[in-house]
Amino acid sequence: MAKHLHELIVFSDEFRLINSPAFYDCVVHLVCTAGSGSFLYNDRLFSLSANDIAVISRPQLVSRIQSDEDFRCEYVAAPDKFLHNLLPANNYAIQGCVSLFDNPIITVSEIDARRFSADLANIRARIDNTDHKFYQELMGSLLQTMVYDLFDFHAKTNDNILTTDRVGYITRQFFTLIEAGRPKTHRDVAHYAEQLNVTPKYLSDTIKRVTGTSVSSHINNAATAIALAYLKDDTMSVSQIADEMNFSSLSYFSRFCVKHIGMSPVKFRTAGAKD
């Protein structure tokens, strides 16, 4: 049964739960108010201290969450699809988001940290007002305010995030293809370059320059998320998943899983059955 919006938006101060499976389709927006902590994100170590904000768009890539006794934080997790529909596809929205994927930490002033905490408090105060006749629009406006404040904080320390119109267009269109699920069956850079009418080198250089991450990494990250979703669902065999994702052979799919998930698809399912 599909969950209602008020069940999907979560306010919490439990730092060690930021990678909870309940948040896998969400973006976590966190502010550290005291102490220090750290976590691995996409295999890179990031640290947090007072007045640091973290925007975690892929909570499933978070591991090794640690903090000292003085650490305090608060955060809101909200559905990625709902957030995505709140903002126009302008250059900053697209490029700011991919930049935050590469480095999710924004260090802000104490005044801006208080402003962000106020945004979170407003969301927390209204999450349970489900009798409001315009609940979805209400929550959307509060979340939109929070996200635009984040973009403001991020822009203050990332003046070069905006690029030329052509670069912005190519970046935008590339991530549109990614978000449409194209990596399910297409994982070669040449395919995306052909779709965008540019050379593979131009696409690779552009995406690397804007996001700091290679085209292949973005493609494979998306393909990995798709493979994980299939593997967690027992309705298809591993062989059927390999066919569905257009892998040339079962062994190739297995090698892909070992490289990007850390274990073979069979081992992943066996480990899941034991949990």
Side-chain angles (χ1 to χ4, degrees):
M1 182 180 295
K3 290 187 176 181
H4 297 288
L5 181 62
H6 75 276
E7 298 177 288
L8 298 173
I9 300 175
V10 177
F11 179 93
S12 178
D13 58 7
E14 295 290 338
F15 182 52
R16 294 185 180 275
L17 296 181
I18 59 174
N19 62 348
S20 167
F23 300 155
Y24 282 5
D25 293 323
C26 295
V27 180
V28 173
H29 308 83
L30 176 150
V31 61
C32 173
T33 55
S36 61
S38 65
F39 57 91
L40 279 183
Y41 185 50
N42 202 22
D43 295 325
R44 293 173 59 196
L45 181 65
F46 294 96
S47 299
L48 284 165
S49 57
N51 300 330
D52 280 345
I53 293 172
V55 183
I56 304 169
S57 59
R58 299 280 296 280
Q60 60 268 43
L61 298 181
V62 172
S63 61
R64 281 180 51 187
I65 302 169
Q66 299 179 351
S67 61
D68 62 25
E69 292 183 357
D70 298 325
F71 184 82
R72 300 290 183 275
C73 75
E74 53 190 11
Y75 59 88
V76 163
D80 180 50
K81 289 184 178 179
F82 185 69
L83 292 169
H84 183 78
N85 292 331
L86 295 177
L87 300 174
N90 57 45
N91 277 1
Y92 201 91
I94 296 294
Q95 297 171 34
C97 286
V98 297
S99 176
L100 283 168
F101 177 77
D102 186 58
N103 180 3
I105 307 299
I106 310 172
T107 299
V108 302
S109 66
E110 185 175 348
I111 292 175
D112 284 346
R114 287 202 299 267
R115 190 203 312 175
F116 186 71
S117 290
D119 288 340
L120 298 186
N122 288 335
I123 294 168
R124 181 187 190 185
R126 305 306 295 270
I127 288 177
D128 294 329
N129 292 162
T130 54
D131 57 344
H132 196 293
K133 291 186 181 297
F134 302 97
Y135 179 78
Q136 183 160 315
E137 290 80 5
L138 169 69
M139 296 309 300
S141 67
L142 294 174
L143 288 164
Q144 188 177 58
T145 298
M146 176 194 71
V147 172
Y148 273 122
D149 277 343
L150 282 170
F151 281 171
D152 176 57
F153 303 154
H154 191 248
K156 289 176 182 176
T157 54
N158 293 270
D159 292 336
N160 63 345
I161 191 67
L162 294 178
T163 56
T164 66
D165 287 343
R166 176 162 175 76
V167 169
Y169 173 80
I170 294 299
T171 303
R172 213 163 40 240
Q173 294 303 109
F174 171 70
F175 282 100
T176 295
L177 293 173
I178 293 293
E179 291 171 3
R182 193 66 65 98
K184 173 183 172 182
T185 53
H186 296 90
R187 290 169 291 277
D188 57 301
V189 176
H191 170 79
Y192 294 86
E194 181 180 356
Q195 295 296 307
L196 300 174
N197 295 313
V198 297
T199 66
K201 184 179 187 307
Y202 179 87
L203 180 61
S204 296
D205 290 348
T206 297
I207 298 302
K208 179 70 173 179
R209 178 154 46 93
V210 172
T211 71
T213 304
S214 70
V215 170
S216 295
S217 292
H218 287 297
I219 296 170
N220 287 327
N221 285 340
T224 300
I226 294 169
L228 283 169
Y230 276 126
L231 289 170
K232 291 174 182 177
D233 184 349
D234 292 334
T235 59
M236 294 176 67
S237 69
V238 171
S239 179
Q240 287 174 321
I241 296 171
D243 289 340
E244 183 75 12
M245 294 188 68
N246 200 31
F247 281 93
S248 58
S249 67
L250 180 57
S251 61
Y252 184 23
F253 177 55
S254 183
R255 289 197 299 273
F256 177 89
C257 290
V258 169
K259 181 177 181 180
H260 297 287
I261 299 177
M263 63 184 75
S264 72
V266 173
K267 187 175 181 180
F268 178 86
R269 279 191 162 171
T270 301
K274 293 178 179 178
D275 292 340

